[in-house]
Amino acid sequence: MQSARRQKDQTSSMKQIEARHRCGAGNLAGESPEVRTRLQANGAVRPLLQLVLAATGQPGSRVLSTACTAAWALSNMLQDSSSVAREVVAVPGAAQGLVQLLNSSTSPELLLEIAWVLCHASFRQADVNRLVHLGLLKPVIRQSSLCLQAVSVSTEAEHTKLSLLRPLLRIAANVAALGGRDAAAELLVPPLCTEAVSMVHYCLTNRDAGLQAEAAWLCTNMAAMPDRPKGEEARSHRCQDALRQLVPVLEHITLCGDSLAQREAAHAMANLTAVGTS
Protein backbone atom coordinates (compact mmCIF):
# COMPACT_ATOMS: atom_id res chain seq x y z
CA MET A 1 0.00 0.00 0.00
CA GLN A 2 2.82 2.36 0.92
CA SER A 3 4.67 1.42 -2.28
CA ALA A 4 1.62 2.24 -4.41
CA ARG A 5 1.18 5.58 -2.63
CA ARG A 6 4.87 6.40 -3.11
CA GLN A 7 4.61 5.58 -6.82
CA LYS A 8 1.55 7.82 -7.15
CA ASP A 9 3.37 10.64 -5.34
CA GLN A 10 6.37 10.25 -7.64
CA THR A 11 4.14 10.38 -10.71
CA SER A 12 2.44 13.52 -9.41
CA SER A 13 5.82 15.08 -8.67
CA MET A 14 7.06 14.31 -12.21
CA LYS A 15 3.96 15.93 -13.73
CA GLN A 16 4.55 19.05 -11.64
CA ILE A 17 8.16 19.18 -12.84
CA GLU A 18 7.03 18.75 -16.47
CA ALA A 19 4.51 21.57 -16.04
CA ARG A 20 7.25 23.86 -14.70
CA HIS A 21 9.45 22.95 -17.66
CA ARG A 22 6.66 23.95 -20.06
CA CYS A 23 6.20 27.25 -18.26
CA GLY A 24 9.95 27.77 -18.34
CA ALA A 25 10.04 27.09 -22.08
CA GLY A 26 7.25 29.60 -22.62
CA ASN A 27 8.97 32.25 -20.55
CA LEU A 28 12.29 31.70 -22.31
CA ALA A 29 10.66 31.77 -25.74
CA GLY A 30 9.26 35.20 -25.00
CA GLU A 31 12.70 36.62 -24.26
CA SER A 32 14.35 36.98 -27.68
CA PRO A 33 14.67 35.51 -31.19
CA GLU A 34 18.01 33.95 -30.22
CA VAL A 35 16.40 32.00 -27.37
CA ARG A 36 13.55 30.88 -29.63
CA THR A 37 16.07 29.64 -32.20
CA ARG A 38 17.93 27.70 -29.53
CA LEU A 39 14.74 26.12 -28.19
CA GLN A 40 13.77 25.05 -31.71
CA ALA A 41 17.24 23.63 -32.35
CA ASN A 42 16.90 21.55 -29.18
CA GLY A 43 13.66 20.01 -30.44
CA ALA A 44 11.10 21.88 -28.30
CA VAL A 45 8.48 22.41 -31.02
CA ARG A 46 7.15 18.89 -31.58
CA PRO A 47 6.75 17.88 -27.90
CA LEU A 48 4.83 21.09 -27.22
CA LEU A 49 2.70 20.52 -30.31
CA GLN A 50 1.89 16.97 -29.22
CA LEU A 51 0.72 18.22 -25.83
CA VAL A 52 -1.52 20.80 -27.53
CA LEU A 53 -3.07 18.30 -29.94
CA ALA A 54 -3.78 15.89 -27.07
CA ALA A 55 -6.68 18.23 -26.21
CA THR A 56 -8.70 17.20 -29.29
CA GLY A 57 -11.84 15.25 -28.48
CA GLN A 58 -13.05 15.48 -24.88
CA PRO A 59 -9.94 15.94 -22.73
CA GLY A 60 -9.87 15.81 -18.96
CA SER A 61 -9.03 18.90 -16.92
CA ARG A 62 -5.36 17.92 -16.54
CA VAL A 63 -4.88 17.35 -20.29
CA LEU A 64 -6.67 20.64 -20.99
CA SER A 65 -4.49 22.56 -18.54
CA THR A 66 -1.37 21.00 -20.04
CA ALA A 67 -2.53 21.87 -23.56
CA CYS A 68 -3.14 25.51 -22.58
CA THR A 69 0.35 25.88 -21.13
CA ALA A 70 1.95 24.13 -24.11
CA ALA A 71 0.00 26.28 -26.61
CA TRP A 72 1.09 29.42 -24.76
CA ALA A 73 4.73 28.30 -24.89
CA LEU A 74 4.36 27.39 -28.57
CA SER A 75 2.82 30.75 -29.46
CA ASN A 76 5.78 32.47 -27.79
CA MET A 77 8.16 30.36 -29.86
CA LEU A 78 6.28 31.30 -33.03
CA GLN A 79 6.72 35.05 -32.57
CA ASP A 80 8.59 36.43 -35.59
CA SER A 81 9.87 32.94 -36.43
CA SER A 82 9.00 31.65 -39.88
CA SER A 83 11.12 28.54 -39.32
CA VAL A 84 9.03 27.49 -36.29
CA ALA A 85 5.85 28.18 -38.28
CA ARG A 86 7.13 25.97 -41.10
CA GLU A 87 7.90 23.20 -38.63
CA VAL A 88 4.47 23.43 -37.00
CA VAL A 89 2.57 23.33 -40.28
CA ALA A 90 4.82 20.57 -41.67
CA VAL A 91 4.08 18.12 -38.83
CA PRO A 92 1.56 15.58 -40.23
CA GLY A 93 -1.91 16.33 -38.92
CA ALA A 94 -0.79 19.32 -36.85
CA ALA A 95 -2.40 22.10 -38.89
CA GLN A 96 -5.62 20.13 -39.18
CA GLY A 97 -5.60 19.45 -35.43
CA LEU A 98 -5.12 23.12 -34.60
CA VAL A 99 -7.99 24.13 -36.90
CA GLN A 100 -10.15 21.42 -35.30
CA LEU A 101 -9.36 22.71 -31.81
CA LEU A 102 -10.27 26.27 -32.82
CA ASN A 103 -13.55 24.96 -34.18
CA SER A 104 -14.56 22.63 -31.35
CA SER A 105 -12.88 23.54 -28.06
CA THR A 106 -15.16 24.94 -25.37
CA SER A 107 -12.30 26.14 -23.16
CA PRO A 108 -11.88 29.95 -23.41
CA GLU A 109 -8.28 29.66 -22.24
CA LEU A 110 -7.34 27.04 -24.84
CA LEU A 111 -9.21 28.88 -27.62
CA LEU A 112 -7.21 32.02 -26.89
CA GLU A 113 -3.86 30.22 -27.01
CA ILE A 114 -4.78 28.22 -30.14
CA ALA A 115 -5.86 31.43 -31.85
CA TRP A 116 -2.48 33.00 -31.11
CA VAL A 117 -0.66 29.88 -32.37
CA LEU A 118 -2.61 30.02 -35.65
CA CYS A 119 -2.08 33.78 -35.85
CA HIS A 120 1.71 33.41 -35.64
CA ALA A 121 1.61 30.42 -38.02
CA SER A 122 -0.20 32.35 -40.77
CA PHE A 123 2.44 34.83 -41.94
CA ARG A 124 3.68 32.84 -44.96
CA GLN A 125 1.63 32.44 -48.11
CA ALA A 126 2.26 28.69 -48.38
CA ASP A 127 1.17 28.14 -44.77
CA VAL A 128 -1.92 30.33 -45.21
CA ASN A 129 -2.94 28.46 -48.36
CA ARG A 130 -2.69 25.16 -46.52
CA LEU A 131 -4.70 26.45 -43.57
CA VAL A 132 -7.37 27.84 -45.91
CA HIS A 133 -7.67 24.45 -47.61
CA LEU A 134 -8.10 22.87 -44.17
CA GLY A 135 -11.08 25.15 -43.49
CA LEU A 136 -9.51 27.75 -41.19
CA LEU A 137 -11.79 30.64 -42.15
CA LYS A 138 -15.06 29.13 -40.96
CA PRO A 139 -13.99 28.52 -37.33
CA VAL A 140 -12.26 31.93 -37.22
CA ILE A 141 -15.44 33.74 -38.26
CA ARG A 142 -17.63 31.40 -36.19
CA GLN A 143 -15.66 32.05 -33.00
CA SER A 144 -15.76 35.78 -33.74
CA SER A 145 -19.54 35.67 -34.04
CA LEU A 146 -19.79 33.72 -30.77
CA CYS A 147 -17.68 36.40 -29.10
CA LEU A 148 -20.04 39.14 -30.27
CA GLN A 149 -23.07 37.15 -29.13
CA ALA A 150 -21.55 36.59 -25.68
CA VAL A 151 -20.70 40.28 -25.26
CA SER A 152 -24.22 41.31 -26.29
CA VAL A 153 -25.70 39.08 -23.59
CA SER A 154 -23.28 39.80 -20.74
CA THR A 155 -20.81 42.65 -20.23
CA GLU A 156 -18.96 40.41 -17.74
CA ALA A 157 -17.75 38.33 -20.70
CA GLU A 158 -16.45 41.38 -22.56
CA HIS A 159 -12.81 41.30 -21.46
CA THR A 160 -12.34 37.56 -22.16
CA LYS A 161 -14.08 37.71 -25.53
CA LEU A 162 -12.30 40.87 -26.67
CA SER A 163 -8.98 39.19 -25.85
CA LEU A 164 -9.94 36.38 -28.22
CA LEU A 165 -11.12 38.75 -30.95
CA ARG A 166 -7.66 40.27 -31.33
CA PRO A 167 -5.89 37.13 -32.68
CA LEU A 168 -9.00 36.14 -34.66
CA LEU A 169 -8.97 39.50 -36.42
CA ARG A 170 -5.29 39.10 -37.17
CA ILE A 171 -5.74 35.58 -38.57
CA ALA A 172 -8.53 36.81 -40.85
CA ALA A 173 -6.37 39.74 -41.97
CA ASN A 174 -3.43 37.41 -42.72
CA VAL A 175 -5.71 35.16 -44.76
CA ALA A 176 -7.20 38.12 -46.63
CA ALA A 177 -3.70 39.38 -47.46
CA LEU A 178 -2.12 36.06 -48.45
CA GLY A 179 -4.89 33.57 -49.19
CA GLY A 180 -5.52 34.57 -52.81
CA ARG A 181 -8.58 33.49 -54.78
CA ASP A 182 -9.36 30.46 -52.62
CA ALA A 183 -9.69 32.70 -49.57
CA ALA A 184 -11.68 35.27 -51.57
CA ALA A 185 -14.11 32.53 -52.62
CA GLU A 186 -14.98 32.11 -48.93
CA LEU A 187 -14.43 35.49 -47.32
CA LEU A 188 -15.96 37.74 -50.00
CA VAL A 189 -19.34 36.00 -50.17
CA PRO A 190 -22.07 35.38 -47.58
CA PRO A 191 -22.36 34.06 -44.99
CA LEU A 192 -18.71 34.56 -43.97
CA CYS A 193 -18.54 38.07 -45.43
CA THR A 194 -21.65 39.18 -43.55
CA GLU A 195 -20.29 37.88 -40.25
CA ALA A 196 -16.82 39.31 -40.91
CA VAL A 197 -18.22 42.78 -41.63
CA SER A 198 -20.29 42.61 -38.42
CA MET A 199 -17.13 41.74 -36.49
CA VAL A 200 -15.21 44.58 -38.11
CA HIS A 201 -17.98 47.09 -37.38
CA TYR A 202 -18.17 46.05 -33.73
CA CYS A 203 -14.40 46.35 -33.28
CA LEU A 204 -14.18 49.68 -35.09
CA THR A 205 -16.80 51.13 -32.75
CA ASN A 206 -15.23 49.61 -29.64
CA ARG A 207 -13.29 51.92 -27.30
CA ASP A 208 -10.20 49.66 -27.51
CA ALA A 209 -7.79 51.39 -29.92
CA GLY A 210 -5.90 48.15 -30.52
CA LEU A 211 -9.07 46.40 -31.67
CA GLN A 212 -9.90 49.37 -33.89
CA ALA A 213 -6.50 49.10 -35.58
CA GLU A 214 -6.78 45.32 -36.07
CA ALA A 215 -10.30 45.67 -37.53
CA ALA A 216 -9.22 48.45 -39.88
CA TRP A 217 -6.31 46.29 -41.07
CA LEU A 218 -8.70 43.42 -41.84
CA CYS A 219 -10.96 45.87 -43.68
CA THR A 220 -7.97 47.08 -45.72
CA ASN A 221 -6.99 43.55 -46.72
CA MET A 222 -10.52 42.42 -47.55
CA ALA A 223 -10.97 45.44 -49.84
CA ALA A 224 -7.73 44.55 -51.63
CA MET A 225 -8.48 40.83 -52.12
CA PRO A 226 -8.31 39.34 -55.64
CA ASP A 227 -11.12 39.64 -58.16
CA ARG A 228 -14.46 38.35 -56.98
CA PRO A 229 -14.96 34.58 -57.40
CA LYS A 230 -16.38 33.49 -60.75
CA GLY A 231 -20.12 32.95 -60.52
CA GLU A 232 -20.34 34.91 -57.24
CA GLU A 233 -20.14 38.42 -58.71
CA ALA A 234 -23.51 39.64 -57.38
CA ARG A 235 -23.01 38.33 -53.85
CA SER A 236 -19.43 39.60 -53.80
CA HIS A 237 -20.66 43.05 -54.84
CA ARG A 238 -22.98 43.03 -51.83
CA CYS A 239 -20.00 42.24 -49.59
CA GLN A 240 -18.00 45.16 -50.98
CA ASP A 241 -21.05 47.39 -50.54
CA ALA A 242 -21.28 46.28 -46.90
CA LEU A 243 -17.60 47.07 -46.40
CA ARG A 244 -18.07 50.55 -47.87
CA GLN A 245 -20.78 51.20 -45.29
CA LEU A 246 -17.92 51.26 -42.77
CA VAL A 247 -16.35 54.36 -44.34
CA PRO A 248 -18.07 56.87 -41.96
CA VAL A 249 -16.83 54.92 -38.93
CA LEU A 250 -13.33 54.76 -40.41
CA GLU A 251 -13.42 58.48 -41.15
CA HIS A 252 -14.33 59.19 -37.52
CA ILE A 253 -11.32 57.13 -36.38
CA THR A 254 -8.98 59.04 -38.71
CA LEU A 255 -10.14 62.27 -37.05
CA CYS A 256 -10.42 61.23 -33.40
CA GLY A 257 -8.72 57.87 -32.93
CA ASP A 258 -5.43 56.64 -31.54
CA SER A 259 -2.45 57.24 -33.86
CA LEU A 260 -2.09 53.56 -34.82
CA ALA A 261 -5.84 53.19 -35.38
CA GLN A 262 -5.82 56.42 -37.41
CA ARG A 263 -3.13 55.08 -39.74
CA GLU A 264 -4.88 51.74 -40.30
CA ALA A 265 -8.25 53.44 -40.80
CA ALA A 266 -6.73 55.73 -43.43
CA HIS A 267 -5.38 52.70 -45.34
CA ALA A 268 -8.79 51.03 -45.15
CA MET A 269 -10.56 54.13 -46.46
CA ALA A 270 -8.09 54.39 -49.34
CA ASN A 271 -8.70 50.79 -50.41
CA LEU A 272 -12.47 50.96 -49.98
CA THR A 273 -12.87 54.18 -51.92
CA ALA A 274 -10.58 52.87 -54.65
CA VAL A 275 -12.77 49.78 -54.94
CA GLY A 276 -15.81 51.98 -55.03
CA THR A 277 -14.55 53.89 -58.04
CA SER A 278 -13.23 50.92 -60.04
Side-chain angles (χ1 to χ4, degrees):
M1 192 71 168
Q2 289 179 348
S3 176
R5 185 180 299 114
R6 189 178 302 114
Q7 184 176 5
K8 183 177 180 180
D9 290 343
Q10 289 174 345
T11 301
S12 177
S13 177
M14 284 300 298
K15 289 186 180 297
Q16 290 176 0
I17 293 171
E18 290 170 1
R20 288 171 186 163
H21 284 170
R22 289 189 294 273
C23 287
N27 288 333
L28 288 170
E31 291 296 322
S32 70
E34 292 77 14
V35 174
R36 291 192 280 276
T37 299
R38 184 172 298 179
L39 284 169
Q40 183 187 12
N42 281 278
V45 173
R46 292 198 176 212
L48 288 173
L49 193 53
Q50 289 171 354
L51 292 171
V52 174
L53 297 177
T56 54
Q58 295 181 328
S61 58
R62 178 171 291 175
V63 172
L64 196 60
S65 175
T66 298
C68 288
T69 306
W72 166 74
L74 189 59
S75 68
N76 279 353
M77 286 191 66
L78 279 159
Q79 290 183 54
D80 305 317
S81 178
S82 58
S83 62
V84 175
R86 282 196 300 272
E87 184 174 351
V88 168
V89 176
V91 173
Q96 185 173 359
L98 291 169
V99 171
Q100 181 183 340
L101 281 170
L102 185 65
N103 186 55
S104 62
S105 178
T106 56
S107 164
E109 294 81 8
L110 183 58
L111 279 174
L112 178 62
E113 300 305 338
I114 293 296
W116 278 116
V117 168
L118 286 167
C119 170
H120 294 312
S122 59
F123 280 107
R124 294 174 63 249
Q125 187 168 14
D127 297 336
V128 168
N129 288 337
R130 184 167 183 182
L131 290 167
V132 168
H133 291 153
L134 289 171
L136 174 63
L137 273 171
K138 287 184 179 179
V140 166
I141 302 302
R142 173 179 172 272
Q143 291 296 347
S144 302
S145 297
L146 291 175
C147 285
L148 300 189
Q149 292 173 19
V151 170
S152 67
V153 171
S154 170
T155 55
E156 294 179 0
E158 185 172 12
H159 176 73
T160 301
K161 297 303 180 183
L162 293 188
S163 297
L164 178 57
L165 273 176
R166 195 180 302 275
L168 293 176
L169 281 165
R170 202 171 294 182
I171 293 170
N174 290 345
V175 171
L178 300 171
R181 296 182 186 279
D182 288 339
E186 291 189 64
L187 194 54
L188 289 186
V189 296
L192 291 193
C193 178
T194 306
E195 295 179 55
V197 171
S198 295
M199 171 178 62
V200 169
H201 181 269
Y202 174 85
C203 294
L204 288 176
T205 56
N206 190 272
R207 61 183 178 273
D208 187 312
L211 275 182
Q212 289 178 355
E214 298 283 1
W217 183 41
L218 172 55
C219 191
T220 298
N221 291 350
M222 286 181 68
M225 289 185 83
D227 292 341
R228 61 192 66 86
K230 187 176 181 180
E232 296 284 0
E233 289 85 354
R235 294 206 298 167
S236 182
H237 270 306
R238 289 202 295 272
C239 177
Q240 296 290 1
D241 289 342
L243 283 169
R244 283 193 287 274
Q245 296 300 314
L246 300 173
V247 168
V249 182
L250 291 164
E251 183 178 17
H252 176 75
I253 293 174
T254 62
L255 296 173
C256 308
D258 171 87
S259 58
L260 177 59
Q262 284 181 327
R263 185 175 71 232
E264 296 298 339
H267 286 310
M269 285 183 63
N271 277 10
L272 286 172
T273 53
V275 170
T277 57
S278 61

